[in-house]
Amino acid sequence: MKLFGVLGDPVSHSLSPAMHNAAFSALGMDCEYHAFKVSKETLHDAIHGAYALGFGGLNLTIPLKEKALDIVKPTELAEKIGAVNTIDFKKGILGYNTDGIGAKKALESNGIEIRGKNVLLLGAGGAARAIAFQLALEGAAVTIANRTEERAVALAKDASRIGKARGTGLDELKALINDCDILINSTAVGMAPRTSETIVTSEMMHSKLVVFDIVYNPVETMLLKEARKAGAKTIDGVMMLVHQGAEAFKIWTGRTPPVDVMEKAVRERLE
Ligand code: NAP
């Protein structure tokens, strides 16, 4: 049997074990995936311990994604993003970031083309960094708007080495939304337990907008409720979670996992 796991703190709430175990079981693979509570201080030992024990691979979650850069050999993209969410042990200890590709596939699986689109990305934290680089790579024009404006400007500067990106604060949101095709919330605003919060309300949106909230707990956030009121198309955060996991699964096993089975496992846990 091959073991896989997610390291983080807190980690008991993680949906990754249910999602990956459902995929292993559907494919009849002799593998198991578990959650392990690991701190920044013990991350080095945990990663090297998993390597020594012959683990098939790891995921990392809060607060370990940035710290792992000092421990693993990151891909060029993970290094640019500044965070690792997937570790593979086949050729040493390699660190990947699959969050951006997860967001891209969540949009594409909803029939949304990214190339040439004006995207307004709210947030400049870890997830926003991965998404900003991916969108720039895919040929979107990205405006990053963040509460702490300097972080948005710094991220835009980094992402503009790959494609079109600019950074700003949250003051002119209505005008920015008027000019955009896709609005992505990659802040933690709206996440449980503060589910009544949203940065953008329906009066600020238009009906041609696609609104993608990467927060998946709750599945229907206040932002998505407001977007629906405005007649905009909505995409929830579940498919990003599933697709970032599916990319990790491919890296570890070389097999394409059943995304529908993974989605069902996640939605059942969230309901
Ligand atoms: P993070 O690194 O801590 O970044 C948090 C971001 O939220 C920052 O941009 C922060 O702005 C902003 N923010 C927090 N509170 C705010 C407020 N009250 N008003 C305005 N902005 C606020 O977190 P992260 O790892 O990027 O994760 C962000 C969210 O994405 C979380 O809810 C996480 O669960 C979700 N997520 C989902 C997926 C998925 O697969 N669907 C993957 C990764 C993350 P400042 O810079 O001003 O502090």
Side-chain angles (χ1 to χ4, degrees):
M1 161 170 354
K2 206 79 179 156
L3 275 177
F4 296 80
V6 55
L7 314 183
D9 185 14
V11 77
S12 58
H13 68 288
S14 173
L15 298 163
S16 294
M19 178 168 82
H20 285 288
N21 285 327
F24 288 137
S25 161
L27 293 176
M29 295 170 75
D30 188 18
C31 301
E32 271 185 25
Y33 186 113
H34 296 276
F36 300 92
K37 188 173 168 193
V38 170
S39 67
K40 282 186 187 172
E41 290 68 36
T42 55
L43 182 61
H44 181 278
D45 289 351
I47 291 173
H48 281 267
Y51 179 55
L53 289 169
F55 270 53
L58 293 173
N59 285 128
L60 301 177
T61 186
I62 289 170
L64 308 176
K65 290 183 183 184
E66 290 84 14
K67 173 77 184 165
L69 276 180
D70 308 334
I71 301 167
V72 307
K73 184 165 183 272
T75 61
E76 204 183 319
L77 182 62
E79 191 161 31
K80 277 192 186 125
I81 292 168
V84 165
N85 77 334
T86 298
I87 296 176
D88 185 54
F89 295 124
K90 281 193 292 297
K91 293 181 187 157
I93 304 182
L94 295 191
Y96 297 77
N97 192 308
T98 66
D99 279 336
I101 193 105
K104 164 189 145 86
K105 293 208 166 180
L107 286 164
E108 286 176 352
S109 64
N110 277 280
I112 309 301
E113 167 118 11
I114 299 171
R115 182 161 302 279
K117 294 285 169 61
N118 286 326
V119 182
L120 178 61
L121 179 64
L122 303 176
R129 286 193 68 83
I131 297 171
F133 279 103
Q134 192 75 39
L135 292 172
L137 268 176
E138 301 300 322
V142 193
T143 302
I144 301 152
N146 193 48
R147 176 177 64 180
T148 311
E149 187 171 346
E150 307 86 77
R151 287 185 87 192
V153 171
L155 171 54
K157 193 171 162 220
D158 292 345
S160 61
R161 289 194 207 112
I162 306 182
K164 281 190 195 164
R166 63 180 171 135
T168 181
L170 296 177
D171 298 337
E172 304 294 332
L173 279 186
K174 180 133 178 37
L176 292 172
I177 292 168
N178 270 340
D179 290 341
C180 86
D181 307 299
I182 305 172
L183 169 70
I184 304 177
N185 175 48
S186 63
T187 74
V189 176
M191 193 170 86
R194 296 164 70 171
T195 54
S196 61
E197 294 179 5
T198 177
I199 295 175
V200 178
T201 50
S202 60
E203 323 79 70
M204 300 158 83
M205 302 187 212
H206 55 85
S207 61
K208 293 208 174 97
L209 199 61
V210 173
V211 179
F212 172 24
D213 198 339
I214 76 160
V215 171
Y216 54 80
N217 184 17
V219 174
E220 180 161 85
T221 58
M222 188 54 74
L223 172 69
L224 294 185
K225 285 184 183 149
E226 291 291 311
R228 214 165 294 225
K229 264 194 234 164
K233 179 175 171 63
T234 59
I235 301 174
D236 66 44
V238 171
M239 286 319 281
M240 172 173 166
L241 179 73
V242 169
H243 282 294
Q244 64 75 31
E247 284 305 305
F249 193 103
K250 279 187 218 164
I251 290 167
W252 299 325
T253 68
R255 297 187 65 176
T256 302
V259 167
D260 52 340
V261 171
M262 295 168 84
E263 180 185 0
K264 186 164 172 276
V266 170
R267 290 200 190 272
E268 273 172 10
R269 292 296 179 299
L270 285 169
E271 270 158 17

